[in-house]
């Protein structure tokens, strides 16, 4: 089931002589229950796309729906949670007062609001800071409170802009666990983050933007798989013999792990048969994957050259 879909979405700011094409024909969709991450360098159009979805700005052309409603629909907003980048809350309020204020803005009141405040603060690990004023919060605590604010109305679609910014490694792990929990209960998460290692660990699908255009989209596995590259782990007692058998197919060796290159799956299987024929113990075989960071830098760099 599609939760979010946009087709040929464009957004132009300014006049004809000084116009900025923030979005140029963006088409993508997000399905229920998945974590979908939007990546791109500064100025790529990521925040503009999010604001078009939320109705904060209006697209110049193109169409889209969110939760079955047109982009910016008030009915849809009741079911959306949003954490903007660099959010700020009144320093004189306590954590529970901030959540109470935003809960009421979202139409949550009474005992339901009290229950949601307790649940969300517990979920993000901020229960003991419930009555502490925001002015005493660290950057990481502010991020946790912001995440709780985005969840206060029990939304179906959660849009998070840099949710782990300023959070320490332990806190980032906890937020990843929270996102995993939300996914397990069929919540849909639209994530924007510059921490690519975090994105790689939690995302089902990734879209990469540059200069207002969508330049690549797919699952993590499909984007990062290196064609014809395979990692073969062999028991250490037979690693040297395995290297001799595979010969020129071996690109590198790290301990008992051989990185190999084959022109086809059939050729790979022939090499495996040769290892088995020599009674060598094969511990694992994996398709070689690049890191998301390496893939992103290579892709965005190539698009910059094309633009020039």
């Amino acid at each position: 089931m599609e939760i979010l879909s946009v087709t040929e979405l464009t957004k132009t700011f300014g006049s004809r002589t000084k116009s900025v094409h923030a979005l140029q024909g963006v088409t993508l969709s997000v399905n229920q229950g998945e974590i979908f991450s939007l990546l791109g360098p500064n100025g790529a159009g990521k925040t503009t796309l999010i604001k078009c979805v939320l109705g904060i700005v209006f697209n110049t052309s193109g169409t889209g729906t969110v939760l079955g409603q047109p982009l910016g629909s008030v009915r849809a907003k009741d079911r959306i949670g949003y954490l903007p980048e660099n959010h700020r809350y009144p320093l004189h309020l306590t954590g529970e007062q901030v959540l109470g204020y935003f809960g009421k803005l979202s139409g949550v009141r009474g005992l339901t609001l009290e229950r949601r405040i307790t649940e969300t603060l517990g979920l993000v690990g901020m229960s003991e800071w419930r009555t502490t004023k925001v002015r005493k919060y660290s950057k990481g605590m502010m991020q946790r409170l912001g995440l709780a604010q985005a969840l206060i109305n029990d939304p179906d679609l959660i849009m998070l802009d840099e949710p782990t910014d300023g959070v320490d490694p332990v806190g980032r792990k906890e937020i990843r666990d929270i996102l995993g929990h939300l996914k397990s209960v069929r919540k849909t998460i639209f994530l924007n983050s510059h921490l690519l290692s975090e994105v790689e660990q939690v995302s089902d699908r990734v879209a990469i933007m540059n200069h207002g255009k969508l330049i690549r989209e797919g699952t993590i596995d499909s984007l990062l798989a290196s064609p014809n590259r395979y990692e073969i782990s062999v028991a250490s007692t037979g690693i040297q013999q395995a290297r001799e058998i595979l010969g020129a197919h071996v690109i590198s060796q790290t301990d008992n792990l051989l990185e190999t290159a084959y022109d086809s799956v059939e050729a790979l299987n022939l090499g495996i048969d040769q290892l088995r024929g020599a009674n060598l113990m094969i511990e694992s075989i994996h398709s070689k994957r690049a890191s998301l960071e390496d893939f992103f830098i290579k892709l965005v760099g190539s698009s910059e050259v094309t633009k020039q």
Side-chain angles (χ1 to χ4, degrees):
M1 176 181 174
E2 284 188 349
I3 294 295
L4 168 63
S5 176
V6 297
T7 303
E8 293 295 322
L9 206 68
T10 70
K11 176 61 182 179
T12 302
F13 294 98
S15 62
R16 292 183 178 179
T17 56
K18 295 184 178 180
S19 59
V20 176
H21 302 290
L23 297 177
Q24 303 187 57
V26 174
T27 297
L28 59 80
S29 63
V30 180
N31 299 318
Q32 182 181 10
E34 74 174 344
I35 300 178
F36 186 97
S37 293
L38 187 64
L39 308 177
N42 293 333
K46 306 185 301 298
T47 299
T48 299
L49 177 59
I50 291 174
K51 289 182 176 180
C52 284
V53 171
L54 295 172
I56 298 173
V57 301
F58 298 103
N59 49 297
T60 304
S61 65
T63 60
T65 60
V66 56
L67 296 165
Q69 303 293 325
L71 299 184
S73 164
V74 174
R75 289 180 61 188
K77 289 179 182 179
D78 289 341
R79 299 163 57 197
I80 298 175
Y82 175 45
L83 171 64
E85 186 180 13
N86 299 322
H87 56 282
R88 296 289 185 272
Y89 301 125
L91 298 180
H92 65 280
L93 296 181
T94 64
E96 67 177 358
Q97 288 173 333
V98 169
L99 296 185
Y101 174 72
F102 280 94
K104 291 176 181 178
L105 287 178
S106 300
V108 186
R109 288 180 170 78
L111 294 177
T112 300
L113 178 57
E114 288 299 314
R115 175 176 57 82
R116 288 299 299 162
I117 290 175
T118 299
E119 289 177 350
T120 54
L121 285 174
L123 184 63
V124 302
M126 288 287 290
S127 296
E128 64 180 295
W129 301 93
R130 177 177 184 139
T131 58
T132 302
K133 293 186 183 296
V134 171
R135 67 164 56 95
K136 296 184 179 180
Y137 283 10
S138 66
K139 180 66 182 295
M141 293 166 66
M142 284 292 289
Q143 288 297 110
R144 291 170 182 266
L145 180 62
L147 182 56
Q149 170 265 307
L151 301 175
I152 193 66
N153 60 328
D154 194 19
D156 294 315
L157 172 61
I158 305 159
M159 308 192 76
L160 306 175
D161 199 348
E162 301 292 347
T164 58
D165 183 32
V167 181
D168 62 34
V170 173
R172 292 201 298 270
K173 170 62 167 59
E174 292 172 348
I175 290 177
R176 290 200 304 270
D177 291 342
I178 293 170
L179 298 183
H181 166 73
L182 294 170
K183 178 185 174 181
S184 72
V185 295
R186 300 293 289 165
K187 301 296 185 182
T188 304
I189 301 168
F190 191 99
L191 176 66
N192 176 19
S193 176
H194 285 103
L195 294 175
L196 301 189
S197 60
E198 299 290 320
V199 170
E200 184 174 350
Q201 292 183 65
V202 301
S203 302
D204 296 302
R205 288 193 297 137
V206 170
I208 299 176
M209 292 183 64
N210 201 15
H211 303 298
K213 297 179 180 179
L214 187 67
I215 57 178
R216 193 66 61 88
E217 185 271 330
T219 64
I220 292 291
D221 286 340
S222 66
L223 293 177
L224 301 186
S226 298
N228 307 323
R229 296 289 182 93
Y230 302 92
E231 292 179 334
I232 303 175
S233 178
V234 180
S236 57
T237 54
I239 188 65
Q240 188 57 42
Q241 185 180 358
R243 180 160 190 159
E244 292 172 358
I245 290 173
L246 299 181
H249 293 289
V250 177
I251 298 174
S252 64
Q253 175 185 344
T254 303
D255 296 327
N256 65 325
L257 185 68
L258 300 175
E259 181 179 344
T260 63
Y262 284 93
D263 294 334
S264 65
V265 175
E266 291 77 12
L268 169 65
N269 276 276
L270 179 59
I272 294 171
D273 288 342
Q274 291 173 331
L275 295 178
R276 287 175 176 155
N279 293 320
L280 296 180
M281 178 63 70
I282 301 174
E283 297 178 338
S284 65
I285 303 172
H286 299 285
S287 177
K288 172 70 174 178
R289 273 180 37 146
S291 71
L292 183 59
E293 182 175 7
D294 290 341
F295 177 82
F296 175 82
I297 292 173
K298 182 178 180 180
L299 183 64
V300 170
S302 65
S303 65
E304 292 287 349
V305 172
T306 301
K307 180 176 180 288
Q308 292 174 0

